[in-house]
Amino acid sequence: SQQGEEDPQALSIQEGENATMNCSYKTSINNLQWYRQNSGRGLVHLILIRSNEREKHSGRLRVTLDTSKKSSSLLITASRAADTASYFCFQETSGSRLTFGEGTQLTVNP
Amino acid sequence: EAGVAQSPRYKIIEKRQSVAFWCNPISGHATLYWYQQILGQGPKLLIQFQNNGVVDDSQLPKDRFSAERLKGVDSTLKIQPAKLEDSAVYLCASSLNPTGNGYTFGSGTRLTVV
């Protein structure tokens, strides 16, 4: 299975600080996606970066992709308490089983 | 745009009973997925449909789990008989096509087997 691995498993920061989460994967991808999951809820699609892109922005989110290292990072700037959630990366590959990693649990303290 | 609808929101059953979950994807989304998410873990793909055909069901425990998408729109996931380890959130997601787009997830059905 094409399971990504998020790092760190847990991250606790103060409101206003930046949060950085990393994702590593094993094979070639079509694109990589980041999702957020609030406790007890479904996943919300945050941002998609294609294999030929290196960086993408969406509001306070910045995603980078390094295909040579098979890794991606998600940066949340000026974090808010409402950003507290689990964050998952997800890779789309051609013809492979699609699986999420264990996620990073982000806690933003007010 | 309406989201992915799932029902019920919660379900508690005894082991060995049967249960069914329902999903209505976003209109026009050809691809539909069922995921199982055990507490503290990431979602695990159970089955993927493209229209009303099965694309991937390799991780579906077929001795007790079944799923269908008869008209290529709504889908049901059934567990019969349920085991304690089936306690999880069952998430339905849909996408416009299999690759190149994000997935839209429903809120999930939280199943507790006692």
Side-chain angles (χ1 to χ4, degrees):
Chain A
S1 65
Q2 306 305 322
Q3 182 171 335
E5 295 183 4
E6 293 90 351
D7 170 62
Q9 287 189 332
L11 180 61
S12 182
I13 59 174
Q14 295 300 121
E15 216 167 18
E17 293 181 339
N18 296 341
T20 300
M21 289 159 270
N22 303 296
C23 169
S24 60
Y25 57 93
K26 296 187 173 119
T27 64
S28 298
I29 59 172
N30 294 333
N31 64 67
L32 186 141
Q33 303 168 35
W34 285 90
Y35 288 80
R36 183 187 72 228
Q37 185 177 39
N38 292 89
S39 180
R41 308 292 297 177
L43 284 83
V44 174
H45 180 258
L46 295 176
I47 196 165
L48 181 154
I49 186 167
R50 302 190 189 283
S51 59
N52 60 353
E53 297 175 311
R54 291 297 167 258
E55 187 171 313
K56 204 160 183 180
H57 297 255
S58 176
R60 295 184 295 112
L61 305 180
R62 173 177 168 252
V63 169
T64 61
L65 179 64
D66 187 335
T67 52
S68 65
K69 295 181 180 177
K70 293 186 169 57
S71 67
S72 173
S73 66
L74 171 68
L75 169 68
I76 304 174
T77 60
S79 63
R80 304 167 183 168
D83 295 329
T84 295
S86 293
Y87 291 82
F88 295 90
C89 71
F90 176 93
Q91 307 89 50
E92 277 202 4
T93 63
S94 298
S96 297
R97 191 177 300 165
L98 306 173
T99 312
F100 288 83
E102 301 297 317
T104 292
Q105 174 60 49
L106 173 66
T107 302
V108 181
N109 301 300
Chain B
E1 165 179 88
V4 175
Q6 287 189 248
S7 68
R9 186 77 177 91
Y10 303 94
K11 189 75 177 178
I12 300 174
I13 62 172
E14 295 182 349
K15 59 184 178 182
R16 291 187 289 273
Q17 284 187 325
S18 302
V19 65
F21 313 125
W22 173 82
C23 173
N24 180 248
I26 289 177
S27 177
H29 278 196
T31 311
L32 184 147
Y33 313 80
W34 282 102
Y35 283 86
Q36 179 194 56
Q37 187 176 22
I38 293 172
L39 185 65
Q41 299 182 15
K44 169 188 150 186
L45 179 68
L46 292 177
I47 189 166
Q48 175 186 346
F49 291 96
Q50 180 70 14
N51 296 308
N52 60 351
V54 175
V55 174
D56 184 351
D57 64 355
S58 55
Q59 296 195 97
L60 187 72
K62 297 180 187 61
D63 58 335
R64 299 184 300 105
F65 286 65
S66 64
E68 59 183 13
R69 194 185 183 198
L70 290 176
K71 296 183 180 178
V73 180
D74 292 8
S75 177
T76 56
L77 175 69
K78 296 178 182 177
I79 307 175
Q80 180 181 11
K83 294 185 176 181
L84 295 177
E85 58 261 36
D86 297 332
S87 294
V89 176
Y90 290 85
L91 296 163
C92 179
S94 69
S95 66
L96 198 56
N97 52 49
T99 63
N101 295 279
Y103 295 51
T104 303
F105 280 81
S107 296
T109 295
R110 182 178 296 277
L111 173 68
T112 302
V113 182
V114 298

